[in-house]
Amino acid sequence: MSSSRIMKWITGGCEAFLGIPLIGGSFILSTSWGALLVMFILHLVTLIIARNEKGSIAGSVLGMVTSFIGVIPILGMIMHIITAIVLLIDAALHKQ
């Protein structure tokens, strides 16, 4: 399994957790939005790895945008769910 595929599974799972109503938001608030910074960094690392492996970077770019939008309560939750779906489908369809 390629590194970018593994990272997409990890970041997709984390995004899915953050998209859970009340639980994800509570986690983000309990870390004083630090979770969003960590996710931005993870998406950046995934993007670099995927680009080096000539894979899809769309989910990682969307995840980086979501990390910024995540501070807006309802919109952030929706974006986390969308990003999770994109990353998990991308990981599942990854060719290697």
Side-chain angles (χ1 to χ4, degrees):
M1 191 178 300
S2 70
S3 298
S4 64
R5 185 174 186 193
I6 293 168
M7 288 300 292
K8 288 174 185 178
W9 280 115
I10 291 169
T11 55
C14 291
E15 287 290 349
F17 172 75
L18 294 176
I20 299 172
L22 297 176
I23 296 171
S26 297
F27 180 76
I28 291 169
L29 290 175
S30 72
T31 63
S32 300
W33 291 275
L36 296 177
L37 177 61
V38 170
M39 287 307 298
F40 181 85
I41 293 167
L42 285 174
H43 288 303
L44 181 61
V45 168
T46 305
L47 181 140
I48 292 167
I49 293 170
R51 194 181 72 195
N52 288 341
E53 294 179 358
K54 303 203 183 339
S56 172
I57 61 169
S60 297
V61 171
L62 181 60
M64 291 167 68
V65 171
T66 298
S67 294
F68 285 109
I69 295 176
V71 299
I72 305 169
I74 304 298
L75 182 59
M77 179 189 70
I78 293 167
M79 288 298 295
H80 285 301
I81 293 168
I82 291 169
T83 302
I85 291 168
V86 170
L87 283 165
L88 294 173
I89 289 173
D90 192 18
L93 297 177
H94 187 82
K95 293 182 174 49
Q96 175 108 0

